Amino acid sequence: MATTLESLREHSPAGPAFWRFGREHRQPLLDAVGNPRRDAYLACRSQAARQEEQRRQEREAADREARRPVCADCGRKFTDDRWEVIANPRG
């Protein structure tokens, strides 16, 4: 981590005056130093949010399939195209 006196004067020690090696922008001191527990928490929270979104999408897909109509003649479920034609008749 590095800084210059000019950056400290311009931004103060609480401002974005520090460069962390490997990063392209200046950061406040606490962000530049890093917080492994916070990083782990944010990663865990992000993963939990992705998993919840995936479960929500799976539930929506299952609900959609449960609503899919069945052909009265052959008993097969309608394709998406056929379902669209029946749901939105033209003319």
Side-chain angles (χ1 to χ4, degrees), residues 46-79:
S46 176
Q47 180 182 5
R50 282 192 306 271
Q51 289 173 344
E52 179 58 33
E53 176 64 18
Q54 182 179 359
R55 284 191 296 269
R56 185 190 63 76
Q57 289 176 353
E58 290 170 355
R59 281 192 307 269
E60 287 177 0
D63 290 345
R64 186 172 192 278
E65 284 303 310
R67 291 188 320 268
R68 185 181 294 272
V70 177
C71 177
D73 293 333
C74 68
R76 292 176 58 197
K77 290 190 175 194
F78 285 12
T79 62

Side-chain angles (χ1 to χ4, degrees), residues 38-52:
R38 184 179 127 227
D39 294 343
Y41 166 75
L42 293 175
C44 182
R45 190 172 74 173
S46 176
Q47 180 182 5
R50 282 192 306 271
Q51 289 173 344
E52 179 58 33

Side-chain angles (χ1 to χ4, degrees), residues 78-90:
F78 285 12
T79 62
D80 287 338
D81 293 334
R82 177 121 185 245
W83 194 4
E84 180 68 28
V85 168
I86 291 173
N88 301 313
R90 297 179 187 113

